[in-house]
Amino acid sequence: MAINLAKGQRMSIESGLQLALVGLGWDTNRYDGGYDFDLDASAFLLGENGKLMRDEDFIFYNNLESRNKAVIHTGDNRTGDGDGDDEVIYIDFTKIPNDVKKIAICVTIDEAEVRRQNFGQVSNAYIRLAKRTDEFDEEGETLLKFDLEEEFSIETALVVAELYQKNGEWKFNAVAAGYQGGLEAIVRSFGGNV
């Protein structure tokens, strides 16, 4: 049975977990701005200092695989229609390079300023961490779930959660930190080049 987390809550990840799935889902509120919402999930593989060590450690719709294929983004869902996960990121903990100490999972709104969109217009957003039985398992068994219930009225980018190592053990942190400035703001905060 899945454990539901609140903002700021930290939880150890199942010991020995090798293959995981991070699923992100959302709905959009009624919005009559003439544009569809295109939310994008991304993952940042960070070093001890909380910064990117190389540009290829930023996993998103234009760079779907990390080095060693430890983290794989399954692709951009441009509409978010339907039930369940809208975007998925696979993690193989056995392949994560030793210098990676944290994986930040983020969601941004594509062209948010131009389209006058923000996370206040998004509802039912969640992140879930699931255990995969093998590399072909596309659903997984949900271990942890974090519903983003906070209102983000001006933010266009969110650090949703972090997976981090402490004393050799991987943990999950329900972050929900909002940023203005979209993807560019988050990339810069992690020391990446835009």
Side-chain angles (χ1 to χ4, degrees):
M1 183 161 148
I3 297 172
N4 289 314
L5 301 178
K7 180 177 178 175
Q9 194 171 359
R10 298 170 189 258
M11 179 74 58
S12 293
I13 295 174
E14 181 179 300
S15 179
L17 179 64
Q18 293 182 1
L19 300 176
L21 173 156
V22 174
L24 297 117
W26 55 80
D27 295 318
T28 54
N29 297 333
R30 286 188 174 211
Y31 170 71
D32 192 19
Y35 297 102
D36 289 333
F37 269 77
D38 180 10
L39 274 64
D40 298 314
S42 56
F44 293 82
L45 281 64
L46 308 172
E48 194 77 51
N49 65 355
K51 302 290 183 189
L52 285 167
M53 294 165 287
R54 29 179 90 76
D55 287 340
E56 60 265 28
D57 287 345
F58 167 34
I59 311 306
F60 69 119
Y61 54 83
N62 277 340
N63 179 36
L64 296 175
E65 296 180 356
S66 71
R67 53 191 157 124
N68 303 346
K69 295 188 178 185
V71 177
I72 299 173
H73 192 304
T74 61
D76 188 14
N77 177 338
R78 300 184 67 84
T79 64
D81 290 340
D83 292 333
D85 300 334
D86 292 311
E87 292 199 6
V88 173
I89 297 170
Y90 294 138
I91 299 173
D92 184 339
F93 286 101
T94 66
K95 294 181 179 179
I96 293 177
N98 290 334
D99 57 352
V100 173
K101 302 302 179 191
K102 183 186 293 184
I103 302 169
I105 307 295
C106 305
V107 178
T108 56
I109 302 173
D110 187 41
E111 297 184 2
E113 284 81 23
V114 172
R115 297 177 180 184
R116 295 185 175 161
Q117 297 173 342
N118 60 60
F119 277 100
Q121 298 158 323
V122 175
S123 60
N124 304 322
Y126 70 85
I127 182 172
R128 71 183 185 99
L129 178 71
K131 177 181 182 176
R132 299 172 70 202
T133 55
D134 58 39
E135 63 190 56
F136 305 106
D137 184 354
E138 296 179 0
E139 187 66 27
E141 173 194 345
T142 302
L143 303 173
L144 305 171
K145 187 172 182 190
F146 171 42
D147 292 313
L148 282 82
E149 297 170 352
E150 187 171 337
E151 288 292 323
F152 293 98
S153 59
I154 58 172
E155 291 83 355
T156 56
L158 297 176
V159 175
V160 182
E162 295 171 339
L163 303 168
Y164 66 97
Q165 279 192 50
K166 185 170 183 180
N167 301 325
E169 179 182 26
W170 282 96
K171 297 179 179 280
F172 183 97
N173 180 15
V175 178
Y179 289 77
Q180 289 180 281
L183 184 58
E184 184 176 327
I186 288 187
V187 171
R188 288 182 196 273
S189 76
F190 290 129
N193 297 314
V194 180

